[in-house]
């Protein structure tokens, strides 16, 4: 009002009452709604996000460890009790209403769910792995697919029993064409018969599986698992590092490099691979890898025809799952292009709202935000 003079203390008090108190009240209210241990509950704003690395459990078997259970194959012994209990609840199908509520709080329109790690890859018995893979895929379809109660809010990645590559290819065909799966997800290497006998992803026996992925034109999401217990000597005394804090990334990066060097992408140039966690460190290391390999006897030691970075640009997509680091995001975009980066959370291990707020506050052009937030995933997964 003209002529009205307000002293500085009074002006500050009015500002606080008009703007700060409602904000604090909203923040407190949303914190009560979230009810997540060790997370900050923040208010996101960018609507319509799609998240791709979102874990679920099953009551068919315990996917959080090998079958039979084996020491050093799960990080649960190292995690805080309240966090573990919270995650265990949110992995269950009966928590789907809460999952959707958390998606709403973070303005996530669609979550693409997949079986928890090590999942099917950790089943020693091949016959049981093939059986459980089909049962889990049926369950994913019934709960999160077209047969579920939230048909517009979820898609799912099919499990694949790579213990039997021919059976895995057949089941992938059924899961995609009949159940509506948008691709496959495997958790690193695959146990075959024992804890020490494993199949890595570059194994020539997997050729039928690669061919089926290409024929169906669907991607494979390579999700991490703990390194082989026999390969955890470097973590001795600090085995908690072998899981999600570091070992996940290192092991998955190594698997990806094996794939690049093996010639799989020369035989299948349209094969599509997704990596989480901002590319599992590869955007940082790939130039160094290629710089060193130029001094090696390449034609004698591995069959790949191109540089590793060439395969990265052509055959790989990455997600932000579990990484809220803006310089790392910038590097990932720089190394592969924003068209190959997709928003993800890693729920329930990472909080939807916390990750959503980080992404929403990135200083991005509208075109990039839309592409990373949803557009790239819609194109790749045909959503």
């Amino acid at each position: 009002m003209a002529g009205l003079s307000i002293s500085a203390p009074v002006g500050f008090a009015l500002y606080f009452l008009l703007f700060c108190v409602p904000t604090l009240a909203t923040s407190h209210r949303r914190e009560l709604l979230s009810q997540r241990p060790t997370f900050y509950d923040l208010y996101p704003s960018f609507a319509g996000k799609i998240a791709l690395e979102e874990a679920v459990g099953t009551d068919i078997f315990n996917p959080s460890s090998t079958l039979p259970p084996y020491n050093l194959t799960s990080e649960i012994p190292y995690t805080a009790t309240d966090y573990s209990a919270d995650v265990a609840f949110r992995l269950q199908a009966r928590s789907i209403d809460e999952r959707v509520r958390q998606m709403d709080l973070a303005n996530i329109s669609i979550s693409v769910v997949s079986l928890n790690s090590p999942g099917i890859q950790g089943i020693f018995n091949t016959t049981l792995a093939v059986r459980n893979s089909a049962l889990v895929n049926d369950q994913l379809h019934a709960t999160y697919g077209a047969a579920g109660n939230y048909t517009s809010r979820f898609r799912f990645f099919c499990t694949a029993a790579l213990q039997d590559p021919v059976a895995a290819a057949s089941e992938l065909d059924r899961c995609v064409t009949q159940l509506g799966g948008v691709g496959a997800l495997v958790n690193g290497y695959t146990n075959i018969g024992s804890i020490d006998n494993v199949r890595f992803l570059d194994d020539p026996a997997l050729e039928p599986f690669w061919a089926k992925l290409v024929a169906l034109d669907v991607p494979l999401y390579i999700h991490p698992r703990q390194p082989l217990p026999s390969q955890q000597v470097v973590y001795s005394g600090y085995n908690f590092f072998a899981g999600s804090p570091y070992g996940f990334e290192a092991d998955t990066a190594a698997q990806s490099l094996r794939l690049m060097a093996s010639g799989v992408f020369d035989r299948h140039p349209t094969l599509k691979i997704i990596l989480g966690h901002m590319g599992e460190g590869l955007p940082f290391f790939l130039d160094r890898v290629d710089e060193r390999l130029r001094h090696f006897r390449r034609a004698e030691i591995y069959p790949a025809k191109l540089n590793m970075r060439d395969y990265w640009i052509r055959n790989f997509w990455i997600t932000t799952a579990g990484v809220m680091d803006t310089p790392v995001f910038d590097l990932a975009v720089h190394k592969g292009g924003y068209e190959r980066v997709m928003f993800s959370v890693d729920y329930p291990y990472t909080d939807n709202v916390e990750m959503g707020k980080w992404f929403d506050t990135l200083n991005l052009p509208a075109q990039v935000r839309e592409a990373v937030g949803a557009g790239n995933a819609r194109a790749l997964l045909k959503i």
Side-chain angles (χ1 to χ4, degrees), residues 264-287:
V264 166
F265 298 115
D266 298 315
R267 298 192 302 275
H268 303 287
T270 60
L271 182 61
K272 301 170 181 176
I273 303 295
I274 308 173
L275 299 181
H277 314 123
M278 278 322 175
E280 311 291 5
L282 287 173
F284 180 84
F285 284 110
L286 268 182
D287 284 346

Side-chain angles (χ1 to χ4, degrees), residues 108-121:
I108 295 171
S109 62
I110 296 174
S111 284
V112 184
V113 300
S114 52
L115 186 63
N116 195 31
S117 180
I120 299 297
Q121 273 57 63

Side-chain angles (χ1 to χ4, degrees), residues 15 29 63 101 104 107 131 179 275 306 311 331 378:
Y15 173 84
R29 182 167 64 250
R101 191 178 73 86
D104 289 342
N107 283 326
R131 170 186 175 273
L179 304 183
L275 299 181
L306 304 179
Y311 299 120
L331 175 66
R378 288 189 182 278

Side-chain angles (χ1 to χ4, degrees), residues 37-173:
T38 71
F39 293 112
Y40 292 103
D41 202 353
L42 302 170
Y43 189 87
S45 58
F46 178 72
K49 292 187 287 291
I50 297 176
L52 305 194
E53 188 181 315
E54 318 311 316
V56 297
T58 178
D59 57 7
I60 296 169
F61 72 107
N62 177 16
S64 297
S65 183
T66 56
L67 183 62
Y70 202 94
N71 192 30
L72 301 180
T73 62
S74 171
E75 67 179 13
I76 292 176
Y78 309 109
T79 55
T81 303
D82 59 344
Y83 174 81
S84 295
D86 180 73
V87 166
F89 165 72
R90 293 171 188 277
L91 286 170
Q92 299 175 37
R94 64 186 179 90
S95 72
I96 189 170
D97 292 336
E98 172 63 12
R99 184 183 288 262
V100 171
R101 191 178 73 86
Q102 293 289 331
M103 290 166 58
D104 289 342
L105 287 173
N107 283 326
I108 295 171
S109 62
I110 296 174
S111 284
V112 184
V113 300
S114 52
L115 186 63
N116 195 31
S117 180
I120 299 297
Q121 273 57 63
I123 301 176
F124 294 180
N125 182 279
T126 295
T127 301
L128 184 60
V130 172
R131 170 186 175 273
N132 282 0
S133 177
L135 291 175
V136 169
N137 289 338
D138 287 338
Q139 193 173 73
L140 291 172
H141 168 68
T143 307
Y144 303 99
N149 294 327
Y150 293 100
T151 57
S152 66
R153 304 303 302 275
F154 293 102
R155 301 293 188 275
F156 68 93
F157 286 117
C158 307
T159 65
L162 299 186
Q163 293 88 340
D164 183 338
V166 174
S170 177
E171 173 59 20
L172 177 63
D173 187 274

Side-chain angles (χ1 to χ4, degrees), residues 211-223:
K212 182 60 68 174
L213 284 165
V214 171
L216 293 170
D217 192 27
V218 295
L220 174 69
Y221 202 124
I222 303 176
H223 186 276

